[in-house]
Amino acid sequence: MRSIKIFDTTLRDGEQSAGINLNVQEKLQVARQLARLKVDIIEAGFAIASPGDFAGVQAIAREIKGVTICSLARAVKADIDRAWEAIQDAEDPLIHTFLATSDIHMKYKLNKEPDQVLEMAVAAVKHARSLCSKVEFSAEDATRSDWDFLCRVFSEVIAAGATSINVPDTVGYAIPAEFGRMIHYIKENTPGIEGVLLSVHCHNDLGMAVANSLAAVENGADQVECTVNGLGERAGNAALEEIVMAVKTRAENFKAATRIATEQIHRSSLLVSTLTGKPVQHNKAIVGSNAFSHEAGIHQDGILKNRMTYEIMTPESIGISQSQLVLGKHSGRHAVKNRLEELGYNLDEAEIEKAYQRFIELADKKKEITDTDLEALVRNEIAAFEDRFILDYLHVSTGNCTIPTATIRLKKDGELVQEASCGDGPIDAIYKAIDRITQITVKLDEYNIKAVSSGEDALGEVLVKVRENGNAYVGRGLSTDIIEASTLAYIHAVNKIARVKK
Ligand code: KIV
Ligand code: ZN
């Protein structure tokens, strides 16, 4: 069995996609989960891009152990120095530098001749290696580059000290058989390649990112760059969960394995979707909510007789627990803590206390609390930080023959402030009343609501995406009452804005 490394770029290429803006605490939460998932490399960000990016990469480099931590850098000295500054405290740092090699990029974007590009790439790798013992070089837009020029660039950067070389399909142009041939060609025609890792990085513009990555694995790639839920620029990057489960389910074909703790996949997907505010489509492979549900009678009958009739992998293998233990208001702190541990949450005392307080509140409203409810509470609690605005009182009046009106009281910096407003509907009225209290003008870009569990008293989860001053913020609210969940989601987002302003 060959071992395939998983290079996760959720926090860099994924976070770079439109409408996502994670704060440092949220990036740390994702990184902690990626470490539990046992990815080999976390690309934590693009350190020079902004002070927020730098802070995120540095915080991850300082805290997360047992994983290689990487920052992206263009092939220029200032970027590489900044990347190194951010990751130098990591247990195992890696600088990832990139430069375009396709004719179209060299001519129109870089305005450089191929020989100049080659010189820049070599200089960048040499400089990066003078700082860090692990350096990856990516030939941006590799799939539209001349294959022989690409091999020349790769062999020169290897001689300059690159420890891994990456073949990005930057614009999602490749098709599997051709990409497989390209990987094979690079392996055959790049002097020095046997001493370094060969990586691929595929985008999904034609819906083939995963297929292309797997074709590369079949042709000798040692590493795959991917993101949780396939998050990423435009149509996204190759989805980590699909690559990992394909390699695992068809191990006899790939003759390869990854190190991934697959039972952490479901949880990773939920966390990334919650924090980024990007819902996962229901029929998404592996992590969609329908991925393991069987509707057709013939299928259900088959499943009852032998699961393998219609299931090629089990829900348990990605961490969906089938035995839903039920807790209620008489369950003590100890029972909640134990169940959380059994579900794989290693929380500190303060986090357990917060989750327990929310559990008690929920148990007052909901008779039975399932694992799904408990996990939703924990995701919500871990995501919380010091809030400037706290909901104290909420009243709405609505109907088909009345003007929707909301009265809201918030604790604002410790003092109670109340406001009322009418609106097009109850949610609009609430959000307008909140705006009056917070004095922060935001634009609501997205509003999503879903039931977390089943039954009449199911927990409702609302995700909102708001925009303030050009920046996007995601807010999340959880309650058995969807009006309250909507209110909490909006307040959550506004609290994030207040925190940034502070
Ligand atoms: O898609 C791409 O080319 C990239 C590189 C920076 C690796 O993300
Ligand atoms: Zn990319």
Side-chain angles (χ1 to χ4, degrees):
M1 283 284 200
R2 283 194 309 131
S3 147
I4 304 298
K5 283 191 187 288
I6 296 295
F7 177 119
D8 180 276
T9 182
T10 308
L11 289 170
R12 200 277 297 167
D13 226 345
E15 214 260 347
Q16 189 172 310
S17 59
I20 299 184
N21 181 16
L22 300 180
N23 62 37
V24 173
Q25 284 313 315
E26 292 167 333
K27 286 181 184 171
L28 267 170
Q29 275 180 59
V30 174
R32 288 182 196 126
Q33 181 56 31
L34 292 174
R36 278 182 221 119
L37 183 63
K38 289 198 176 354
V39 302
D40 296 281
I41 295 131
I42 296 177
E43 186 162 49
F46 190 1
I48 202 162
S50 72
D53 265 69
F54 180 87
V57 178
Q58 189 173 59
I60 291 168
R62 289 183 172 166
E63 181 187 309
I64 308 294
K65 307 289 171 214
V67 188
T68 303
I69 307 293
C70 156
S71 171
L72 186 67
R74 283 166 299 186
V76 292
K77 186 172 179 301
D79 274 42
I80 294 169
D81 289 342
R82 191 75 171 142
W84 176 239
E85 204 185 328
I87 58 168
Q88 60 189 335
D89 296 332
E91 199 175 66
D92 187 25
L94 166 77
I95 296 176
H96 177 192
T97 186
F98 72 101
L99 189 60
T101 51
S102 63
D103 288 350
I104 184 163
H105 276 231
M106 289 192 291
K107 183 165 173 198
Y108 295 102
K109 191 181 83 173
L110 300 175
N111 201 12
K112 293 211 182 306
E113 292 300 320
D115 280 348
Q116 292 174 294
V117 165
L118 184 63
E119 211 176 290
M120 268 180 84
V122 167
V125 169
K126 273 196 182 142
H127 181 57
R129 263 314 292 270
S130 73
L131 303 168
C132 185
S133 62
K134 284 190 177 168
V135 173
E136 172 164 310
F137 175 79
S138 282
E140 193 189 8
D141 204 18
T143 47
R144 292 191 299 166
S145 303
D146 176 83
W147 291 12
D148 288 322
F149 178 59
L150 196 59
C151 293
R152 204 174 133 216
V153 173
F154 281 151
S155 75
E156 300 257 342
V157 295
I158 292 170
T163 48
S164 46
I165 54 168
N166 182 33
V167 187
D169 183 23
T170 305
V171 290
Y173 177 74
I175 44 181
E178 175 201 58
F179 193 55
R181 274 199 307 279
M182 182 179 189
I183 296 303
H184 185 77
Y185 189 87
I186 292 170
K187 273 188 85 88
E188 294 290 302
N189 293 283
T190 305
I193 199 160
E194 56 297 334
V196 300
L197 275 176
L198 176 56
S199 177
V200 292
H201 172 116
C202 297
H203 280 266
N204 206 29
D205 299 67
L206 292 174
M208 285 189 270
V210 169
N212 286 330
S213 306
L214 293 173
V217 167
E218 285 178 317
N219 282 279
D222 310 294
Q223 173 175 291
V224 178
E225 305 196 354
C226 46
T227 58
V228 173
N229 297 341
L231 209 63
E233 286 271 35
R234 309 179 308 278
N237 287 56
L240 179 148
E241 59 279 1
E242 294 179 25
I243 289 167
V244 167
M245 292 312 287
V247 170
K248 183 172 169 149
T249 308
R250 301 301 310 274
E252 88 300 340
N253 174 72
F254 293 105
K255 302 197 172 32
T258 70
R259 221 173 56 97
I260 294 295
T262 60
E263 62 287 357
Q264 293 287 338
I265 284 180
H266 179 61
R267 189 166 305 153
S268 308
S269 163
L270 281 174
L271 182 73
V272 168
S273 154
T274 300
L275 294 181
T276 58
K278 298 276 178 200
V280 173
Q281 84 198 42
H282 291 186
N283 60 338
K284 160 92 176 60
I286 318 294
V287 290
S289 56
N290 282 352
F292 292 95
S293 43
H294 304 272
E295 269 317 301
I298 294 176
H299 290 204
Q300 288 177 348
D301 181 57
I303 284 281
L304 289 173
K305 290 175 176 146
N306 181 338
R307 294 198 75 88
M308 285 174 73
T309 50
Y310 286 100
E311 260 178 23
I312 56 167
M313 56 200 151
T314 63
E316 289 83 357
S317 66
I318 64 151
I320 299 176
S321 141
Q322 295 298 52
S323 65
Q324 290 264 354
L325 197 90
V326 175
L327 298 169
K329 69 174 171 194
H330 299 299
S331 312
R333 195 179 261 96
H334 199 65
V336 173
K337 179 172 181 251
N338 271 357
R339 189 61 192 150
L340 284 172
E341 275 169 10
E342 279 162 17
L343 290 171
Y345 289 91
N346 297 316
L347 306 182
D348 63 29
E349 284 306 313
E351 286 169 334
I352 289 172
E353 191 51 38
K354 271 195 198 170
Y356 182 66
Q357 290 311 325
R358 291 282 282 129
F359 168 81
I360 304 268
E361 283 165 32
L362 180 62
D364 257 351
K365 298 180 186 158
K366 194 171 186 293
K367 225 166 71 201
E368 294 185 333
I369 299 186
T370 63
D371 290 344
T372 318
D373 295 326
L374 203 57
E375 294 202 73
L377 281 188
V378 172
R379 278 201 309 283
N380 208 42
E381 271 319 312
I382 301 178
F385 48 75
E386 278 299 291
D387 288 338
R388 182 165 177 222
F389 305 104
I390 297 167
L391 179 64
D392 182 66
Y393 172 88
L394 163 68
H395 176 85
V396 283
S397 120
T398 190
N400 65 344
C401 293
T402 179
I403 297 174
T405 314
T407 311
I408 289 269
R409 191 164 58 222
L410 299 187
K411 213 181 244 172
K412 178 179 180 182
D413 298 325
E415 281 188 21
L416 290 175
V417 186
Q418 69 186 40
E419 273 293 352
S421 178
C422 318
D424 290 339
I427 307 296
D428 186 44
I430 291 169
Y431 290 1
K432 283 186 172 137
I434 294 176
D435 287 349
R436 288 187 181 162
I437 297 177
T438 60
Q439 305 274 306
I440 299 175
T441 314
V442 302
K443 184 176 167 301
L444 182 67
D445 275 354
E446 278 176 39
Y447 173 96
N448 285 294
I449 184 162
K450 68 169 188 201
V452 169
S453 42
S454 52
E456 282 170 8
D457 60 354
L459 267 179
E461 180 181 57
V462 173
L463 284 177
V464 294
K465 191 170 296 156
V466 301
R467 192 165 289 280
E468 196 263 348
N469 213 3
N471 293 318
Y473 298 85
V474 171
R476 176 169 179 265
L478 199 62
S479 171
T480 47
D481 174 338
I482 56 170
I483 299 277
E484 187 181 35
S486 306
T487 311
L488 292 171
Y490 195 74
I491 296 174
H492 184 218
V494 175
N495 272 318
K496 287 187 182 174
I497 301 173
R499 198 169 193 237
V500 169
K501 284 187 179 296
K502 194 173 160 200

